[in-house]
């Protein structure tokens, strides 16, 4: 039985190029290159599959370069319910030069009306009471910003639960659907509330303003500074241990996977904070999504430091 479904409307193949001394306006030579099936929901699914969770994936994939995705899904026994659309899934370039990464993102494919209809049908078929849906990433060009609101409502009508990780107008719009949990990073939340958030207390107050708008739990990630977790009962600040950073790509996706994993076990907020924060910290120590070293991941969970905020 599926436990989690992730929805990625605008996936990408991540092409990571290592270019020492990368500079704009010059000839740059690639020292190393790799391509990974990516996109936020795909990364979350990949991480959850490594934790032995039964996970399904949907959204839109271009038929012309689908091989990398199908190979990943087979290898990790991920149930593939992606809607196939004409054309190629976009490639996102990540140019890595030491600790600095430069992203070059293409807009991606635009699904047609029938494709959208097929996606909604998939969501209806896949929803079961208590099943978690993770809706993550940007909305493709040509699709209305309110699509997440409609997807969330459809899932909730049939008793499913939702985690949302997006930004900008789609995040603002989606709040009307009352997702069960949202995970903006601090920049995304500060854009949403329209003021800079400088301290954990300011982050907490902004996060609590989303509880007033019908969200059950809010997690605000702050990179190496950890994250603030709030629900109606409590507010926690979780700090990751110091780790050696190899690539910050996908830290947020790993965090979402850790949060969902802990919520599937019905763990209290403090443990949700440990799992989420440690999973993000684990991800930055590696290139690529998923868990290659379960023991290293487990060890980080105990090393997260939890502090209570306010009251
Ligand atoms: N440098 C770091 N050291 C330790 N842990 C980190 C570091 N960067 C990120 N993390 C962990 O990962 C979590 C998520 O990171 P971050 O806030 O950067 O997410 P994000 O901005 O949503 O990332 P993404 O680009 O994947 O969307 C943090 O809350 C933290 O637990
Ligand atoms: Mg993020």
């Amino acid at each position: 039985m599926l436990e989690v479904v992730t929805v990625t409307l605008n996936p990408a193949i991540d092409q990571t190029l290592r270019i020492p001394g990368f500079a704009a306006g010059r000839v740059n030579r690639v020292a190393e290159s790799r391509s990974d099936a990516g996109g936020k929901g795909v990364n979350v699914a990949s991480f959850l599959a490594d934790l032995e969770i039964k996970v399904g994936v949907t959204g839109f994939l271009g038929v012309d370069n689908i091989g990398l995705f199908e190979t990943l899904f087979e290898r990790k026994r991920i149930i593939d319910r992606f809607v196939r659309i004409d054309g190629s899934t976009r490639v996102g370039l990540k140019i890595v030069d030491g600790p600095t990464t430069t992203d070059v993102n293409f807009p991606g494919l635009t699904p047609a009306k029938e494709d959208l209809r097929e996606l909604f049908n998939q969501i209806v078929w896949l929803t079961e009471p208590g099943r978690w849906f993770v809706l993550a990433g940007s909305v493709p060009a040509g699709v209305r910003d309110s699509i997440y609101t409609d997807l969330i409502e459809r899932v909730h009508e049939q008793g499913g639960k939702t985690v949302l990780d997006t930004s900008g107008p789609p995040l603002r719009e989606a709040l009307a659907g009352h997702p069960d949990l949202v995970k903006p990073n601090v920049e995304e939340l500060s854009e949403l509330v329209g003021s800079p958030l400088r301290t954990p207390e300011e982050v907490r107050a902004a996060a609590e303003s989303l509880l007033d708008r019908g969200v059950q739990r809010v997690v605000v990630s702050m990179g190496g500074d950890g994250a603030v977790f709030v629900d109606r009962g409590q507010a926690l600040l979780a700090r990751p241990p110091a780790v050696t950073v190899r690539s910050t790509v996908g830290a947020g996706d790993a965090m979402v996977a850790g949060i969902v994993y802990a919520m599937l076990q019905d763990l209290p907020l403090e443990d949700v904070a440990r799992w989420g924060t440690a999973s993000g910290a684990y991800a930055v120590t590696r290139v690529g999504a998923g868990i290659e070293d379960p023991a290293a991941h487990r060890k980080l969970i105990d090393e997260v430091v939890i502090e209570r905020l306010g009251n």
Side-chain angles (χ1 to χ4, degrees), residues 123-192:
I123 297 291
V124 170
W125 287 326
L126 287 165
T127 307
E128 297 273 347
R131 185 172 288 169
W132 281 94
F133 281 72
V134 175
L135 308 144
S138 60
V139 169
V143 175
R144 60 190 188 283
D145 286 333
S146 63
I147 183 168
Y148 281 133
T149 322
D150 300 336
L151 289 170
I152 291 166
E153 283 174 352
R154 214 52 62 83
V155 170
H156 288 179
E157 273 161 22
Q158 296 180 83
K161 297 179 172 268
T162 52
V163 171
L164 175 75
D165 180 8
T166 189
S167 58
L171 170 60
R172 186 179 302 275
E173 294 275 344
L175 294 176
H178 309 308
D180 292 297
L181 185 146
V182 293
K183 196 224 67 73
N185 65 27
V186 67
E187 291 82 22
E188 292 160 350
L189 181 61
S190 113
E191 186 197 333
L192 180 71

